[in-house]
Amino acid sequence: NSTKPVIYPFNPNFITDYKGYKLGMSVEELDKLFAFRKENKYVNSAKEFQTVTGVSDSLLNAISPYFKFPDWVNQPKKQYTSYSNNKFENKKPIVKVDINLATQEDLIKVYGIGPALSERILKQKESLGGFVSMEQMQFIWGLSPEVVENLNKHFIVTAEPKISKVDINNASVKELAKFPYFNYSIAKEIVTHRSMNGEIKNIEDLTKIKGLPSEKIKIIALYLEF
């Protein structure tokens, strides 16, 4: 009896190992998707799903009719075009604002940013004491690559903010764990590393700390006092 299993609409960003296997995806294809998702990125179309995973056209044709993306993926574009039909609006040169001075209203003007994401950006800024680089936008949960690109068109870091730097060699586990790019287990690793190897002197020493996200190390170093 070879009745095909019923497939219900699903968001391909949240495919599990088991579901992927049932759909006919290979381990490599699933791993590529998981690696992409690990960077807090989302696929927003069937074509993007194929680009990320490398699934064959035939498999894509078989499963993509069941892909269901959240409404906001398809919606904002319509609202956006209707409200910027003003011919002059598109010709205005963009004056970049310092991200550290941006208000919630400034952020919401950016296509793809709503109240929740703007609040998340402001909270992250507050907890860090300020952004040191626009690169940090890609570390904020929920910002798609497209939105990060839009933010980069409108904002800039003009001057290094006055942040109170983390004293990496003297701070306690509790103090270190408060820093947004660390967590409790990284804080423990830092303290262990200090007691085993002496002071942490530079970026190279940071790379030896287990669990520290390598793509953030250059940014993290700017918040530290060695």
Side-chain angles (χ1 to χ4, degrees):
N1 184 4
S2 65
T3 50
K4 279 186 128 183
V6 183
I7 306 180
Y8 295 100
F10 61 94
N11 183 337
N13 286 292
F14 302 108
I15 286 179
T16 56
D17 269 330
Y18 179 67
K19 175 132 183 124
Y21 160 74
K22 294 271 285 202
L23 293 170
M25 289 176 72
S26 70
V27 174
E28 289 82 358
E29 289 161 357
L30 279 165
D31 281 349
K32 284 180 192 162
L33 178 69
F34 297 151
F36 180 79
R37 286 287 297 110
K38 226 179 169 162
E39 297 172 29
N40 269 326
K41 292 178 185 167
Y42 292 84
V43 295
N44 291 326
S45 66
K47 196 173 175 351
E48 219 177 317
F49 179 80
Q50 187 178 33
T51 308
V52 170
T53 58
V55 293
S56 66
D57 289 346
S58 57
L59 183 62
L60 188 73
N61 293 340
I63 63 176
S64 63
Y66 301 100
F67 287 178
K68 182 167 172 36
F69 295 100
D71 292 341
W72 56 261
V73 170
N74 311 313
Q75 238 173 21
K77 287 195 170 68
K78 290 177 204 148
Q79 297 164 349
Y80 190 65
T81 46
S82 65
Y83 103 82
S84 73
N85 277 344
N86 179 339
K87 281 199 183 90
F88 304 105
E89 190 152 290
N90 301 332
K91 296 210 172 80
K92 268 197 292 192
I94 296 170
V95 179
K96 288 190 176 185
V97 174
D98 189 327
I99 188 80
N100 290 310
L101 303 174
T103 63
Q104 189 160 17
E105 280 102 64
D106 294 331
L107 293 167
I108 288 177
K109 281 180 196 159
V110 175
Y111 168 50
I113 299 251
L117 288 180
S118 55
E119 207 166 298
R120 199 173 293 161
I121 293 168
L122 291 171
K123 275 196 176 137
Q124 180 78 302
K125 181 190 80 176
E126 217 172 287
S127 62
L128 288 163
F131 293 115
V132 290
S133 158
M134 282 305 290
E135 237 184 277
Q136 291 170 271
M137 296 305 113
Q138 64 194 17
F139 307 143
I140 296 173
W141 185 79
L143 296 187
S144 69
E146 192 187 2
V147 170
V148 169
E149 206 178 301
N150 290 338
L151 281 166
N152 277 309
K153 286 177 193 160
H154 291 84
F155 298 102
I156 193 170
V157 174
T158 49
E160 202 176 301
K162 288 180 172 53
I163 45 182
S164 50
K165 298 197 174 189
V166 178
D167 185 349
I168 189 91
N169 288 305
N170 296 302
S172 65
V173 171
K174 207 172 169 186
E175 287 164 339
L176 290 167
K178 277 185 193 155
F179 178 58
Y181 292 147
F182 295 158
N183 55 31
Y184 188 70
S185 62
I186 291 174
K188 272 173 71 177
E189 285 293 339
I190 292 170
V191 172
T192 307
H193 185 90
R194 282 186 334 213
S195 60
M196 304 284 285
N197 308 286
E199 285 200 343
I200 294 162
K201 295 184 188 72
N202 48 33
I203 287 188
E204 205 180 317
D205 287 347
L206 284 178
T207 59
K208 296 169 189 159
I209 292 160
K210 230 172 62 184
L212 210 58
S214 56
E215 74 282 4
K216 292 183 189 165
I217 281 183
K218 278 192 184 135
I219 298 286
I220 288 172
L222 298 171
Y223 287 93
L224 306 180
E225 202 177 288
F226 292 108

